[in-house]
Amino acid sequence: MPVHRLRGHPRRGAQGHGGPGGRPVTGGNRHIGRPVPPPHHDRLVRGNGRYLADLRADAVLHAAFVRSPLAHAHVVRFDATAARNDPRCALVLGPRELAERTAPIPAVWLLPGQPEDTIPVAVGTARYAGQPLGVVVADSPGAAEDLAEAVRLELDPLPPVPTLAAALAGGAPPVVPGTPGNEAGRVRHGSPQADIAAALARAALVVEREFTLPRVNHAPLEPRGVLAEFDTGTGLLTVRASSQGPHSMRQDLCAVLGLRADRVRVIAPDVGGSFGSKVLLYPDEAMVCAAAVALGAAVRWVETRAENFTAAYQGRGQRTTARLAVGEDGRFLAFDAHILADLGAYATQAGSGPYQVAALTLQGPYHVDAAAATVTGVYTTRVPTGAYRGYGMQEATFVRERLIDEAARELAIPPVALRERNLIRPHELPHTTHTGLTYDSGDYGAALRRAADLARRRAAPDPPWVRRGTAVVAAVEISAFAPSALLEALDIAWSGWEGVRLRVNHDGTITVYAGVTAVGQGIETSLAQIAAEGLGIPLDWVRVELGDTDTAPHSDLSSQASRAVTLAGGALVLAARRLADRMRALAAGFLGAEPEHVTQRVAPDAAPGSPDAAFHGPDGAWITWREVAHRGYRGWGRRDRTDPVRLEESVDFDPPRLTFAHGAHAAQVAVDLGTGRVTVAGYWAVHDSGVLVNPLIAHGQIVGGIAQGLGQALTEESAADAEGRPLTRSFREYTLPAAQDVPDDLVVEHTSTPSDAIPGGFKGLGEGGTILPPAAVACAVAAAVPEIAHTLTSLPLTPARVRAALRAAGITAEGGTR
C-alpha cells in the first residue's frame, strides 16, 4: 500500500486543535461538549429494541414462582404433586430441592454486628408477602402460572412486624431468628458525641424534628427478567438478564450454583430502566438459573408488573430523628441524626448502604463545628430495601434542608441568607467533612444564588384559597463511587476501579469495550464521544460494546452511583491518548518522520480510508488512517521490535478519590387551602457536574431526575396493611408523576468546575436531579403556609396529608383561620 505524497496546503476550512497531550490534530472532530442525539434511540423508539422478552432461544421453557401470600410464616408443606403430574410441567423446585441445588447469596456491605452475611435462596420461613418459595417450569408462560397456582402451600402463620415501630416494640417476634429487638446492627459516622454535646450546649437555637421517608417502588419501564441457558456438553451457563451489573451478577451466580467463573456468562441486552433495582442478583433470578442447570435447557422468566410492585426490592424507607444547632451569629454548630433503617426481611447485598450514605452526607455543602449520624438497621416483615436513585443523599438532603428552613423561620432570617452564610467557599476547597468525605471543587454559593435569581418570577394573582411559596435548597452529590481503597476501608466487598478496552480495527474503525452498562442513560453515545475526541476522528467510526462479561472489562459497580461516564470515561481518555500515540508513531514510521512532526487531518465526514482522513508528514507525504491500521495489524511500521503489535489499549482506572458534583434547586408551589393539593408552578435547577460530555444527555438526566423527585415529594409511597401485605400492587394504587405534574416553567442550567481527579474533568450527574426536589417542594410549601411548616416532616405531601395539617392549624378553604 503506497505512501502518498501531496504538495500544497491543507484544504480551506480545516480547523486545527490540540489532540491528546497537545499534539497537532486537524479537522472538525470536536465531540466533548456537543449535544449529540443518541443514535440508538431511533432503533428503540421504532420498536426494534432487544429487551429480555424479545430475545429468542431454541426450545425455551418458562418459569413462574410460588410466592408466600403471608408476610411471616413457617412453610409446613410444599406439595407440588399436582403440578409435577401435569404433562406441561418440566420441573418444580421447592424449598427442599433448592436447598440441595443452591447456596445463599453473599452480602457485600454489612453493618457492624449484622447477624446474617448471606441472603437465602431456599427458605423454610417466609419473611415477607411475595417472597419466592419455589419455582415451576413449564412449556409456556400461562402453563407455568397455572402450575404455580396448583402447588399447595401449608403455612403456619407467625406474627407480622411490618413497621419500624412494630419491629422495635418490646416483645416483638424476631424476623431473623436469634435477633432480639430486630436490630440488624449499628454504625456511627462523624464527630464524637462529646463534640456534638459541646456544640449543642453553646447553641442559641436547637431545632429537632422526626422525619419519615417512606418506601418507594422503582417502577422501571421494563420489569426484571432472566433468560438462562445451560449447555450440559460444555458446562456453560449463559444468562441474559435485564441487569445493571452483569459482572457482580456472575460472581453471585458462581457462589450460589457452585460454578467456575469461566463457565458463567452474563449478558445485559437493552435494559428498560433500573434506578438501582437491577444492580443485584435476586433469589428468584437465582432460582431460574438453578432450574436451567437442572434441566440442561433454556428457561425464561419475565417479571409481571404486579410482581415488580410486590416482590422487587424497594427504595428509601427510614425514620430519622435529627437536630440542628445554630449559634447566635447564625452559624451552624452541629448536625446530629439517628437513622432507623427499614431493611425489610433481610439486608440485601448493598444492605444498609443507602442509609450509611445518608449518614455520610448529612452535613451537605455547609460549614459546621460538628456533624454525626448513627444508623440502626431494623428487620421488618416487608420486601427488602436496596439501592434507589439518589442512594441516601436524597434522604439526607430532605432532613438537612428542612431543618435549615425551620431554623430560619424561628430566627426570622431569610432561608437563602442563612444557607449562604454557612456554605463552604470555593477557596476553602478541598474540604473534608466530619464524616470523612473530601469535597474536591465547585462554587456552592454561585449555584445557590443563581437558582434564587431564576426563581424570582412574577406570578399571576391567586384566588384567596391558594397560597404560593418559593424555596431554594442545596446539596452535594457523591459521584465516581470508587476508590478501591475507600471500599476496602468501609469493608464493602466490591472493587471500585473501572476498566475499558479501546481497539482500532484493521479497517480503521474503532470499538470500545467497557464494564459499565446501558440502562437508558445514553452511556453508549457519551463513551463514543470521548473516544472520538481523544483519537481526533468522526463519531460514526466508533462502536461501543457493553454488558457482556465475556468481552467487557470487569466492573463490580458498573452503571450505578453516578460513575459510568466519570470512571469509564476517565479510563477511556487515558486509553485514547495512548492509542493516538501508537497510531501516530506507526504513521511516522511509514512516512519516515518523527512522530512530533506528523499532523493528523481528519474531516468530520471522512471515511477511515479516505484521503481526507490521513496522517501528513512535514514533506507533504501522507497515509490514510485505514492504511496505518491495516499495516499495523501486519506488525509493520514498529520502530522497535519490542513495541506491541496489537492496536489496542486497556486501562484499569482506580481514581485517587471521590468526586463531588453539586447543585441548587428552587421550587415554587401553589397550595390549595381547600383540597390540600400542592401544584409545582415553577422549578429551576443549577448543577455543576464538571465537564459535560453531552449536554443533551445531561439535560435529560437532570430533567428526568427532577420528575422522579417530584413524584417522591407529592405522590409516591409503597404501602402495606397491618399484616404486612402490599397495598400498592399496580399503577392504580401507586401514582407516578404525570406530564401535568411537571411544571412548564422548568429551567436547568449547568456550570462546570472540572474534577482534577478524573482525566477529562468529568463528574457524575445521574442522581443529582433526584436528590433535591423533595426538599425543595416541602420547603416551598412551608414558605407558602408557615402555619403548618413544623408538620412538614413526612413524605409524600399528598392532598390528604396537607389538608389534615391545614385543618389542624385552623386554616379554612377561604384562606382565613378559625
Side-chain angles (χ1 to χ4, degrees):
M1 293 183 182
V3 173
H4 307 279
R5 298 193 178 275
L6 176 69
R7 299 297 179 186
H9 298 286
R11 288 181 300 148
R12 292 181 180 178
Q15 298 175 353
H17 70 275
R23 292 173 294 276
V25 176
T26 60
N29 297 296
R30 298 305 302 266
H31 302 288
I32 291 177
R34 286 178 53 204
V36 178
H40 65 284
H41 281 188
D42 182 72
R43 173 177 64 87
L44 298 179
V45 299
R46 293 180 185 275
N48 295 319
R50 301 291 290 165
Y51 297 97
L52 200 286
D54 300 320
L55 303 180
R56 297 177 181 176
D58 294 333
V60 65
L61 299 169
H62 300 271
F65 293 100
V66 180
R67 298 185 182 274
S68 173
L70 302 179
H72 202 193
H74 287 309
V75 181
V76 178
R77 190 162 170 254
F78 184 98
D79 184 357
T81 304
R84 291 190 172 107
N85 289 338
D86 192 298
R88 299 173 295 172
C89 181
L91 180 71
V92 179
L93 298 177
R96 180 175 58 81
E97 294 85 4
L98 287 168
E100 294 169 353
R101 291 185 170 274
T102 65
I105 302 169
V108 173
W109 193 347
L110 306 179
L111 279 167
Q114 188 171 311
E116 288 186 320
D117 60 2
T118 59
I119 298 158
V121 176
V123 298
T125 300
R127 299 185 192 174
Y128 63 93
Q131 184 166 11
L133 304 177
V135 61
V136 177
V137 182
D139 56 11
S140 72
E145 292 287 347
D146 291 344
L147 298 181
E149 291 181 6
V151 173
R152 293 184 174 274
L153 282 179
E154 184 179 338
L155 302 177
D156 181 12
L158 295 169
V161 282
T163 65
L164 289 167
L168 295 173
V175 177
V176 175
T179 307
N182 288 311
E183 284 199 15
R186 182 176 294 202
V187 67
R188 179 182 173 85
H189 295 287
S191 304
Q193 190 59 51
D195 292 355
I196 297 290
L200 293 170
R202 63 179 185 274
L205 172 69
V206 176
V207 178
E208 181 171 349
R209 298 285 186 272
E210 183 176 276
F211 298 91
T212 301
L213 296 161
R215 290 163 164 259
V216 292
N217 284 97
H218 296 79
L221 184 66
E222 178 201 24
R224 296 180 297 128
V226 173
L227 173 58
E229 186 171 5
F230 187 70
D231 187 323
T232 54
T234 62
L236 177 65
L237 174 65
T238 301
V239 179
R240 291 170 172 83
S242 185
S243 172
Q244 209 170 329
H247 280 95
S248 58
M249 187 176 197
R250 181 179 70 171
Q251 288 186 108
D252 286 346
L253 281 172
C254 290
V256 169
L257 301 176
L259 298 174
R260 287 170 50 121
D262 59 6
R263 296 293 82 196
V264 178
R265 179 185 185 187
V266 178
I267 303 167
D270 289 330
V271 177
S274 173
F275 310 119
S277 66
K278 301 175 183 176
V279 301
L280 308 168
L281 176 69
Y282 286 66
D284 48 16
E285 296 167 346
M287 291 179 188
V288 176
C289 297
V293 172
L295 290 166
V299 181
R300 187 200 314 265
W301 167 68
V302 178
E303 184 182 48
T304 67
R305 185 59 66 179
E307 284 180 303
N308 185 261
F309 271 109
T310 59
Y313 297 154
Q314 297 173 345
R316 317 297 186 213
Q318 66 171 249
R319 192 176 77 216
T320 299
T321 302
R323 51 191 174 177
L324 165 63
V326 185
E328 290 184 357
D329 57 355
R331 303 289 177 181
F332 296 162
L333 301 180
F335 286 108
D336 184 39
H338 186 193
I339 299 168
L340 293 177
D342 182 357
L343 301 178
Y346 53 79
T348 59
Q349 288 95 317
S352 62
Y355 308 100
Q356 294 201 52
V357 169
L360 288 166
T361 57
L362 179 66
Q363 181 175 337
Y366 302 104
H367 275 296
V368 63
D369 291 355
T374 300
V375 176
T376 300
V378 181
Y379 294 121
T380 61
T381 53
R382 289 197 62 188
V383 177
T385 52
Y388 190 100
R389 191 178 192 180
Y391 206 92
M393 293 175 282
Q394 186 194 82
E395 297 91 307
T397 298
F398 182 79
V399 169
R400 179 186 65 249
E401 299 299 307
R402 285 297 299 122
L403 286 174
I404 294 172
D405 248 42
E406 287 296 279
R409 185 172 59 86
E410 294 196 26
L411 293 170
I413 297 174
V416 171
L418 183 60
R419 287 181 170 86
E420 188 167 13
R421 183 178 302 180
N422 289 280
L423 284 173
I424 299 165
R425 312 298 178 191
H427 69 273
E428 296 169 328
L429 295 169
H431 176 88
T432 301
T433 70
H434 293 283
T435 57
L437 302 178
T438 300
Y439 300 158
D440 47 357
S441 60
D443 190 336
Y444 307 150
L448 185 80
R449 290 188 294 272
R450 180 56 181 161
D453 287 343
L454 290 170
R456 292 191 180 98
R457 305 289 178 91
R458 180 174 294 177
D462 292 315
W465 60 86
V466 172
R467 289 209 209 164
R468 193 175 292 259
T470 302
V472 187
V473 295
V476 290
E477 175 190 0
I478 296 175
S479 71
F481 191 61
S484 296
L486 173 64
L487 272 65
E488 183 180 12
L490 293 173
D491 200 23
I492 304 172
W494 276 321
S495 60
W497 56 271
E498 198 61 48
V500 299
R501 193 164 74 254
L502 178 63
R503 176 188 299 161
V504 177
N505 301 308
H506 73 277
D507 61 354
T509 60
I510 311 299
T511 307
V512 176
Y513 299 91
V516 298
T517 55
V519 291
Q521 81 279 43
I523 185 65
E524 311 97 311
T525 304
S526 299
L527 292 181
Q529 288 179 256
I530 294 169
E533 175 90 0
L535 295 172
I537 59 172
L539 190 62
D540 61 7
W541 294 12
V542 183
R543 179 177 176 81
V544 176
E545 295 283 349
L546 308 172
D548 185 340
T549 57
D550 268 14
T551 59
H554 181 82
S555 176
D556 275 349
L557 287 165
S558 193
S559 291
Q560 54 177 309
S562 299
R563 65 192 302 280
V565 164
T566 312
L567 295 182
L572 194 52
V573 167
L574 298 176
R577 287 176 185 168
R578 296 175 189 174
L579 200 51
D581 283 342
R582 293 270 300 284
M583 288 291 287
R584 185 179 304 280
L586 286 174
F590 298 136
L591 294 170
E594 293 300 318
E596 60 268 24
H597 297 146
V598 171
T599 302
Q600 177 182 324
R601 301 174 191 162
V602 181
D605 56 352
S610 165
D612 290 331
F615 294 93
H616 294 254
D619 61 350
W622 56 276
I623 183 171
T624 68
W625 175 280
R626 183 185 182 280
E627 289 169 351
V628 173
H630 195 67
R631 293 184 181 198
Y633 266 81
R634 293 176 176 172
W636 298 355
R638 292 176 294 155
R639 297 197 158 204
D640 190 314
R641 295 184 62 182
T642 63
D643 288 346
V645 175
R646 186 178 301 168
L647 287 174
E648 183 172 296
E649 288 292 337
S650 295
V651 172
D652 297 330
F653 178 54
D654 198 358
R657 56 189 177 276
L658 292 167
T659 66
F660 290 85
H662 69 91
H665 287 198
Q668 185 182 94
V669 303
V671 182
D672 188 312
L673 303 180
T675 65
R677 178 177 173 80
V678 176
T679 301
V680 181
Y683 203 93
W684 306 274
V686 180
H687 278 261
D688 188 332
S689 297
V691 173
L692 296 183
V693 176
N694 187 320
L696 182 67
I697 291 175
H699 181 79
Q701 286 280 293
I702 298 298
V703 170
I706 289 170
Q708 201 165 4
L710 292 178
Q712 289 162 53
L714 298 174
T715 63
E716 295 186 48
E717 180 175 8
S718 178
D721 64 17
E723 299 300 312
R725 291 172 298 210
L727 293 173
T728 43
R729 304 176 62 88
S730 72
F731 289 123
R732 288 189 297 272
E733 303 89 20
Y734 190 88
T735 306
L736 291 178
Q740 62 267 25
D741 299 315
V742 179
D744 293 334
D745 192 3
L746 193 160
V747 176
V748 176
E749 290 190 356
H750 292 276
T751 60
S752 178
T753 309
S755 168
D756 62 1
I758 305 296
F762 317 128
K763 296 180 180 180
L765 55 73
E767 297 165 276
T770 307
I771 290 170
L772 284 155
V777 170
C779 289
V781 173
V785 195
E787 298 93 330
I788 66 169
H790 64 285
T791 71
L792 301 176
T793 56
S794 298
L795 295 177
L797 297 178
T798 59
R801 181 168 283 158
V802 174
R803 188 174 187 275
L806 292 168
R807 296 299 170 264
I811 299 175
T812 67
E814 291 73 28
T817 56
R818 291 193 298 271

